[in-house]
Structure formats: C-alpha cells, structure tokens
C-alpha cells in the first residue's frame, strides 16, 4: 500500500516549456487535490477532483490544467511554465471531497522554472 | 474571505520545553479545523477538531478548539528534537475549500 505517489520528485524547466506532474493513489479514494507550497506560505489549492470525471478550480488555478484520468490518477499540467510557478507541488487524496476525513499527501515534486 | 493566521511564524526552544502554537481563523459555516506536521516532505495529519470534538490528545501533543473565539492551539509538552518541523493549521468551511495558514516553524535544540 504505497498511499499517494508523485512523479517526478524534482524537475527543472526553462520558461515556456511544458510538463505534466503525475499523481496516483491506491487507497480507492474518490477525491484528489493539487496544492502548491511556496517558501513561508501554507498550502494553496490549485485544482481538485471530487470524483472521477469531475474537476474544479481552487485558489490559484491560472497557468495550470488537470486531468482526472481514472479513479487512481490525477495529473497536473503546466502548458507554458513561468518562473512564478517555481514551487513544491503536493498531490493529496481523501475518501470524499472536503469530508471530515483526513487528506493524505504525496511526497511532493520540487519544480524550478528558470 | 476565509482565512487562517498562525502564530508565531517561527519558534526555537530547548528539549524538554513546552510549546503552544496558535491558529486563529475566519470562516463561514465552520466544519473542521486540522493540524498537520510537515518535516521536509509531505504534511502528515495530526488532529481534526470539529463541533463534536473540540479537544484531542495523542501522547505529548494535544489540541483544543475554541469555536466562540475562533482559534485553536496545538500544545507539545516535553519537546524532543524530533518535534522540529513546520506545523500547519487548516480549516474547512462553507466554501468546501481547505484553507491553510502559513505554518509555524518549530526548532527544538538539544
């Protein structure tokens, strides 16, 4: 039982490049989330998916797109990376959206955009 | 707009000290308040406080929720170096979005 996994762990991009961050969970959770964390800041929600086939914007969605590929996988895409997107990205999952159940976090992807 | 304010932003103590971390919040239709511990990587869950559970304890850690005054505290007694981490507070309100504070960085020196 791996929980929430993310790939890659680290990535360096040049401005304008694109990439997709992958996230998978094996806990049969319905809901999945993408957050970013900047130095001295808490976690800020980018997008979330309440269930397979649905996605919704969070607090800071601009510059990102998401795909809920199936119940297990939720990817985050940067179409044209900008230095302001340098951050640590966390994926999380929970049994159902905004339930009082715990959200379980992946190990994070550290992204640097030059 | 819902928000969470944590204080202090950073704290340095010696092993054996007791610390109190603060979290105040403004939220419409309060549902829950959560505490997480983050040690370099992913946040790990500590406590969830709701209207039906305003006090939680696990070992040396405890937390209370004051719904009237809109704050929560996380207490750690007999601190150890392994308690060094960033402690995040988050609330869930009527907007159904989990809102995090900026965190308190705790450093416990031997």
């Amino acid at each position: 039982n791996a929980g929430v996994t993310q790939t890659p762990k680290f990535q360096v991009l040049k401005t304008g490049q694109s990439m997709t961050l992958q996230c998978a969970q094996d806990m049969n959770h319905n809901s999945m989330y993408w957050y970013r964390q900047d130095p001295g800041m808490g976690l800020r929600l980018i997008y979330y998916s309440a269930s397979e086939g649905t996605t919704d914007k969070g607090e800071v969605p601009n510059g990102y797109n998401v795909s809920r590929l199936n119940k297990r996988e939720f990817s985050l895409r940067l179409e044209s990376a900008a230095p302001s997107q340098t951050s640590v990205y966390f994926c999380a999952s929970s049994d159902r959206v905004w339930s009082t159940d715990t959200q379980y976090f992946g190990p994070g992807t550290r992204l640097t955009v030059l | 707009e819902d928000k969470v304010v944590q204080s202090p932003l950073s704290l340095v103590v010696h092993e054996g000290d007791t610390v109190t971390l603060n979290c105040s919040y403004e939220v419409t239709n309060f549902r829950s308040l959560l505490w997480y511990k983050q040690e370099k990587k992913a946040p790990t869950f500590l406590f969830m406080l709701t209207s039906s559970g305003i006090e939680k304890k696990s070992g040396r850690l405890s937390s209370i929720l004051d719904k009237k005054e809109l704050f929560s505290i996380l207490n750690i007694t007999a601190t150890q170096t392994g308690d060094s981490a960033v402690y995040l507070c988050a609330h869930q309100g009527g907007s159904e979005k989990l809102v995090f504070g900026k965190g308190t960085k705790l450093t416990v020196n031997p």
Side-chain angles (χ1 to χ4, degrees):
Chain A
N1 191 341
V4 180
T5 57
Q6 292 181 236
T7 56
K9 287 187 170 57
F10 302 95
Q11 183 71 49
V12 178
L13 293 176
K14 293 181 180 178
T15 296
Q17 287 185 315
S18 63
M19 79 161 295
T20 299
L21 281 65
Q22 307 287 353
C23 174
Q25 52 90 10
D26 62 1
M27 295 175 282
N28 201 36
H29 284 165
N30 291 300
S31 305
M32 298 184 74
Y33 315 84
W34 275 106
Y35 292 91
R36 61 178 288 175
Q37 186 175 36
D38 301 306
M41 302 288 286
L43 295 158
R44 292 184 293 169
L45 182 67
I46 305 171
Y47 270 94
Y48 67 100
S49 171
S51 60
E52 187 178 351
T54 69
T55 60
D56 286 286
K57 295 178 180 179
E59 182 183 354
V60 287
N62 291 344
Y64 305 95
N65 285 302
V66 290
S67 295
R68 183 74 182 268
L69 304 170
N70 47 55
K71 191 172 186 180
R72 289 187 65 248
E73 298 171 289
F74 188 37
S75 64
L76 178 72
R77 182 160 178 85
L78 286 71
E79 290 291 351
S80 179
S84 60
Q85 294 178 304
T86 293
S87 188
V88 180
Y89 292 85
F90 289 101
C91 177
S93 71
S94 66
D95 188 33
R96 56 191 187 281
V97 66
W98 310 125
S99 68
T100 51
D101 295 337
T102 309
Q103 285 188 23
Y104 295 88
F105 286 84
T109 294
R110 186 174 293 276
L111 174 67
T112 301
V113 183
L114 302 175
Chain B
E1 182 180 323
D2 296 350
K3 65 179 181 180
V4 175
V5 178
Q6 292 187 246
S7 64
L9 291 180
S10 66
L11 188 57
V12 180
V13 300
H14 292 289
E15 265 192 319
D17 288 350
T18 293
V19 298
T20 298
L21 310 182
N22 304 294
C23 175
S24 64
Y25 61 92
E26 294 177 20
V27 61
T28 53
N29 301 320
F30 174 86
R31 295 177 66 178
S32 64
L33 188 132
L34 298 92
W35 285 96
Y36 287 86
K37 179 182 182 182
Q38 186 175 25
E39 299 172 90
K40 302 209 181 280
K41 289 191 175 180
T44 54
F45 174 76
L46 293 175
F47 297 117
M48 174 180 285
L49 301 157
T50 65
S51 298
S52 59
I54 60 173
E55 187 169 351
K56 294 285 177 73
K57 183 175 172 62
S58 176
R60 296 177 295 104
L61 276 67
S62 62
S63 182
I64 63 169
L65 174 71
D66 187 323
K67 277 195 67 183
K68 182 179 177 183
E69 300 299 330
L70 306 183
F71 76 86
S72 175
I73 64 168
L74 176 68
N75 215 52
I76 308 175
T77 59
T79 52
Q80 303 171 356
T81 55
D83 295 327
S84 295
V86 175
Y87 290 84
L88 296 169
C89 172
H91 77 62
Q92 178 185 348
S95 66
E96 296 192 335
K97 288 179 171 53
L98 209 58
V99 177
F100 283 83
K102 294 183 178 181
T104 293
K105 182 178 180 181
L106 174 65
T107 303
V108 181
N109 290 323

